[in-house]
């Protein structure tokens, strides 16, 4: 999945007029509300689970960890070994921000250990939170079905419904 993600071109981030052209560099680290962040880093260096979050502000992300939905630092450029910033070309920057706001409203909900139950909105795992936000609020299904109903974080990068605007 990492090789597939690395093949996607890096584009300039969207403005209120759409997605920019392909660029040659890794792009600028995303701080815009609603950008999806994904790392392919291994959990405790052993398990290739990866992780996903959504940018809420220049210094804050919304994510779901083992203790549930919470906020974290928007510092993945330094805290993660790998990082992809992706966005959905069919939404505006305002629609992306709306999804981030919806994710923020989920803070305090428990972690969903049943990865195949993506329909619940009572609890979330990391990539399910972003998947649910885009599905429920923008009607964009980011699940590629590579893992059946479960949504692996790298699917948020590898779906044809997102484009990469940053890589590390």
């Amino acid at each position: 999945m990492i090789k597939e993600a690395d093949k996607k071109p890096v584009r300039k981030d969207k403005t209120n007029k759409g997605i920019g052209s392909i660029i040659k560099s890794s792009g600028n680290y995303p701080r815009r509300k609603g950008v999806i962040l994904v790392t392919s880093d291994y959990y405790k260096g052993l398990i290739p689970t990866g992780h996903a979050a959504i940018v809420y502000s220049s210094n804050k992300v919304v994510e779901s960890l083992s203790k549930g939905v919470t906020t974290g630092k928007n510092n993945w450029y330094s805290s993660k070994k790998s990082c992809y910033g992706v966005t959905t070309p069919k939404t505006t920057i305002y629609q992306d921000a709306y999804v981030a706001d919806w994710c923020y409203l989920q803070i305090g909900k428990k972690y969903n250990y049943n990865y195949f139950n993506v329909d619940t909105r009572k609890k979330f795992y990391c990539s399910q939170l972003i998947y649910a936000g885009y599905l429920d609020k923008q009607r964009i299904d980011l699940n590629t079905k590579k893992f059946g109903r479960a949504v692996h974080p790298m699917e948020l990068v590898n779906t044809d419904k997102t484009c990469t605007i940053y890589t590390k």
Side-chain angles (χ1 to χ4, degrees):
M1 291 183 73
I2 296 168
K3 288 180 183 179
E4 182 181 346
D6 289 343
K7 288 180 184 176
K8 288 183 80 170
V10 178
R11 298 183 173 275
K12 289 183 182 176
D13 193 9
K14 68 176 85 168
T15 63
N16 59 359
K17 295 180 181 176
I19 293 293
S21 59
I22 294 174
I23 58 177
K24 293 181 182 179
S25 72
S26 63
N28 293 321
Y29 180 77
R31 298 189 181 278
R32 178 178 59 78
K33 191 174 192 176
V35 172
I36 302 164
L37 297 177
V38 176
T39 182
S40 60
D41 291 0
Y42 281 42
Y43 177 70
K44 296 191 178 188
L46 301 171
I47 305 168
T49 57
H51 185 55
I54 191 165
V55 174
Y56 188 71
S57 68
S58 64
N59 62 355
K60 188 184 299 185
V61 298
V62 179
E63 58 190 334
S64 187
L65 302 169
S66 61
K67 294 182 180 178
V69 181
T70 188
T71 60
K73 293 181 181 179
N74 186 5
N75 65 353
W76 288 30
Y77 58 91
S78 63
S79 67
K80 308 293 184 203
K81 290 180 182 176
S82 69
C83 179
Y84 300 89
V86 300
T87 190
T88 53
K90 293 190 176 186
T91 54
T92 66
I93 58 176
Y94 308 106
Q95 290 170 315
D96 293 343
Y98 182 64
V99 172
D101 286 336
W102 181 86
C103 291
Y104 188 84
L105 291 173
Q106 309 314 305
I107 290 175
K109 291 190 176 176
K110 294 182 180 192
Y111 190 83
N112 180 11
Y113 288 96
N114 181 353
Y115 302 111
F116 296 100
N117 184 4
V118 296
D119 296 328
T120 185
R121 298 300 181 257
K122 293 181 181 179
K123 51 190 175 179
F124 297 94
Y125 56 89
C126 65
S127 45
Q128 177 202 5
L129 177 67
I130 286 96
Y131 158 82
Y134 274 94
L135 183 65
D136 293 0
K137 299 302 163 192
Q138 302 304 331
R139 296 187 179 163
I140 298 173
D141 185 350
L142 300 177
N143 191 352
T144 67
K145 308 288 193 257
K146 281 190 177 182
F147 294 85
R149 291 182 47 80
V151 182
H152 188 282
M154 289 302 294
E155 287 182 273
L156 303 175
V157 178
N158 291 333
T159 177
D160 62 0
K161 305 221 173 85
T162 63
C163 63
T164 303
I165 58 171
Y166 171 82
T167 61
K168 174 188 173 192

